[in-house]
Amino acid sequence: MKIIHVVGTRPNFMKIAPLMREMNRYPDHFQQLLVHTGQHYDVNMSHVFFEELNLPKPSRFLDVGSGSHAVQTAKIMEAFEPVLSTNNPDWVVVVGDVNSTLACALVATKMGIKVAHVEAGLRSRDRTMPEEINRLLTDQISDILFTPSEDANMNLLREGIPSEKVYLVGNVMIDTLIEMLPSIKRRTIVADMSLRPQKYIVVTLHRPSNVDNTMTLRKILSALVKSSYKYPVIFPVHPRTRKKILELESEIFEKANVRFLDPLGYLDFLSLVRSSGVVVTDSGGLQEETTFLKVPCLTVRLNTERPITVQVGTNRLVSSENLFQEITQTMIMPPNGENPEMWDGKASERIVKVLRNL
Ligand code: UD1
C-alpha cells in the first residue's frame, strides 16, 4: 500500500510522527512518502520538530509559505497535484484542520485517490473559525475517518457520514507525548529559567479572534501583566502574534514579569507546560496535552472543538474580560481531571491495524 502523508504546520508534525513510526514496523505492507507543504517554514516552527520527533526528511517540500486563505489553499493544491500524478499513491493521509489538510484532501479525492483523515469529527460549531470550515469539508470528502473521542463520532453521524467509514482510535498527539515523556522530563529549561514548579504561567496565543483584534489582545495582555506581578509569565510567541504585539505600546510591559520568547521546540515547550501552574492558550492541541498532563488549562475562546477536555480534563473556557480572576483562582485551587478513554499511546497502532485490514 503506497501512502503519502501530508504535513504543513507545527501541530501536524507530532500527529504524523507516531503513524509513520508504526507503519515502519510493516515494511512489506506500507511504502511511505512524506510531503511538507511549507505552510509553516521558520526553523522554530518546523525544522526543529523534524529533529526532535525523528521525522524523516520530507520527500517533497512544496514551499508554499504564507498568504491569504485563498492564495495559500490554492498554492498548496496546485503544488500537490503533480506530486500525486508522479507518485500515484493508494492513500493520502491528512491530519488535523489546517489549510494544508483540506487542500491536499481535496486534490486527492478529485484524482480518485483515497483519503484518510486523522483527528476527524471535531467541531466547535463556530464557522467564523477557518479551521471549522477545514474540518467540515475534509470530513465530507474523506474515505476513512479516525476520531479521537466519542463526541467526534456523534458529530460525523449527525452530518450523515456512514458509520462504516468512522473509527474511534484515540489521540495520536498523545501517542507522541507519551513516547517523548522521558525526554521531556530530562529537559532542564524550568531550572535554567529559575522557575519554581507550579508557580509560573505558560501562555500561547495565535487565533485571529484573539490576536488580530487590538482591543481583545490588549485585554488579554493586561490580565497577563497583572498576573505576572505574582507569578512569572512565560510566553513563547507565534510569529502572527509577535507582529501584533509589536504594534501595541510597550509601556504596559514595564515592570511586568512577562518573558516573551521565540517559539520553542517540542521538548522544551512540553517541559515548561508540564511543570507550570496554569496554561493560558487558544491552541487546540494544547488543550489535549494539558488534559493528559493534568495541568490546569484556561482556553481564551468562546467554544472548543475538543469538549472532552472540558468535560473530563483540566480545561476551562474563559473570556478575556475575567482572565485575571480566572488565573488567580486556578493558581489557588487547581482543578482535577481525568484522562479521556483511549488517550493511551496506542492510537497509531489502532489506525495502522485498520489500514492493514482494509
Ligand atoms: C495555522 C493554522 C491553525 C493552527 C496554527 C498552528 C490554518 C488556517 N491555520 O495558523 O489552525 O492552529 O497554524 O500554529 O491553517 N508565519 C511565519 N513563519 C511561519 C509560519 C507563519 O512568520 O513559519 C507568519 C506569517 O506572517 C503568516 C502568519 O504567521 O502570515 C500566519 O501563518 P498561517 O500558516 O497562515 O496561520 P497560523 O496562524 O500559523
Side-chain angles (χ1 to χ4, degrees):
M1 186 183 274
K2 192 168 185 182
I3 309 251
I4 287 193
H5 301 276
V6 175
V7 289
T9 69
R10 184 165 64 172
N12 297 157
F13 306 128
M14 52 292 253
K15 296 173 192 169
I16 284 289
L19 266 175
M20 291 194 77
R21 210 164 17 249
E22 181 64 19
M23 285 187 194
N24 270 338
R25 295 178 54 213
Y26 305 97
D28 295 343
H29 206 103
F30 297 108
Q31 189 193 345
Q32 307 186 67
L33 290 178
L34 179 62
V35 173
H36 187 337
T37 65
Q39 181 174 344
H40 284 178
Y41 43 86
D42 285 350
V43 169
N44 53 13
M45 295 294 283
S46 171
H47 187 78
V48 62
F49 293 88
F50 280 78
E51 280 174 12
E52 291 190 345
L53 302 175
N54 290 319
L55 270 166
K57 197 169 172 298
S59 330
R60 289 294 308 275
F61 182 69
L62 307 183
D63 202 13
V64 298
S66 303
S68 69
H69 285 277
V71 167
Q72 191 175 57
T73 309
K75 272 171 133 182
I76 298 168
M77 290 180 70
E78 225 178 333
F80 191 54
E81 191 177 49
V83 176
L84 294 187
S85 310
T86 313
N87 291 289
N88 207 15
D90 302 298
W91 283 86
V92 168
V93 175
V94 294
V95 293
D97 55 15
V98 300
N99 286 346
S100 300
T101 311
L102 173 61
C104 293
L106 192 50
V107 173
T109 197
K110 290 212 169 182
M111 291 176 76
I113 296 166
K114 299 236 181 291
V115 176
H117 185 204
V118 176
E119 203 187 85
L122 299 184
R123 297 289 181 269
S124 65
R125 311 201 195 291
D126 174 0
R127 292 198 181 190
T128 64
M129 276 182 89
E131 294 80 3
E132 184 73 354
I133 308 297
N134 293 341
R135 291 189 277 261
L136 280 160
L137 299 181
T138 305
D139 285 342
Q140 280 297 327
I141 57 179
S142 292
D143 297 278
I144 196 161
L145 300 95
F146 295 110
T147 63
S149 47
E150 188 61 46
D151 55 295
N153 289 54
M154 305 299 282
N155 291 335
L156 294 173
L157 292 185
R158 214 176 292 130
E159 287 166 21
I161 294 181
S163 59
E164 312 84 78
K165 286 182 168 185
V166 182
Y167 294 84
L168 174 58
V169 291
N171 192 322
V172 282
M173 201 170 207
I174 302 302
D175 286 8
T176 293
L177 182 50
I178 292 174
E179 163 101 22
M180 293 291 156
L181 211 44
S183 311
I184 291 167
K185 288 181 180 169
R186 279 196 296 273
R187 302 304 271 203
T188 57
I189 185 165
V190 174
D192 296 347
M193 291 184 73
S194 308
L195 296 167
R196 287 191 298 141
Q198 282 78 52
K199 299 289 177 210
Y200 65 93
I201 301 163
V202 170
V203 179
T204 78
L205 293 170
H206 73 284
R207 297 262 161 234
S209 57
N210 281 329
V211 306
D212 287 3
N213 179 317
T214 312
M215 278 259 281
T216 310
L217 182 59
R218 202 186 290 276
K219 272 187 209 153
I220 297 173
L221 292 174
S222 302
L224 297 177
V225 164
K226 245 164 113 181
S227 309
S228 79
Y229 295 127
K230 191 129 195 229
Y231 307 105
V233 171
I234 314 303
F235 190 168
V237 190
H238 187 284
R240 173 196 279 278
T241 313
R242 179 167 296 275
K243 285 184 198 153
K244 300 290 174 186
I245 291 179
L246 287 173
E247 290 166 14
L248 301 175
E249 316 92 73
S250 55
E251 303 90 81
I252 62 167
F253 302 117
E254 271 172 29
K255 303 204 193 92
N257 193 358
V258 181
R259 302 192 212 168
F260 294 105
L261 313 177
D262 284 336
L264 293 168
Y266 181 79
L267 300 175
D268 275 343
F269 181 64
L270 264 302
S271 170
L272 274 174
V273 166
R274 183 175 162 263
S275 298
S276 67
V278 63
V279 169
V280 175
T281 192
D282 55 13
S283 145
L286 200 41
Q287 297 172 52
E288 299 178 337
E289 288 161 335
T290 49
T291 287
F292 181 82
L293 294 168
K294 308 228 174 358
V295 170
C297 180
L298 298 175
T299 299
V300 194
R301 282 175 49 185
L302 297 171
N303 45 57
T304 177
E305 61 291 336
R306 289 150 162 103
I308 189 96
T309 61
V310 176
Q311 282 151 17
V312 311
T314 48
N315 186 26
R316 224 141 42 80
L317 300 183
V318 296
S319 114
S320 55
E321 306 289 341
N322 49 6
L323 181 57
F324 172 68
Q325 289 86 335
E326 296 281 1
I327 292 174
T328 312
Q329 173 75 18
T330 308
M331 288 300 269
I332 299 167
M333 270 211 327
N336 291 319
E338 276 171 39
N339 198 19
E341 224 180 299
M342 284 204 240
W343 291 21
D344 56 0
K346 297 198 165 95
S348 318
E349 212 177 295
R350 294 186 194 101
I351 291 172
V352 170
K353 195 168 169 200
V354 171
L355 292 174
R356 286 178 64 216
N357 290 333
L358 281 177

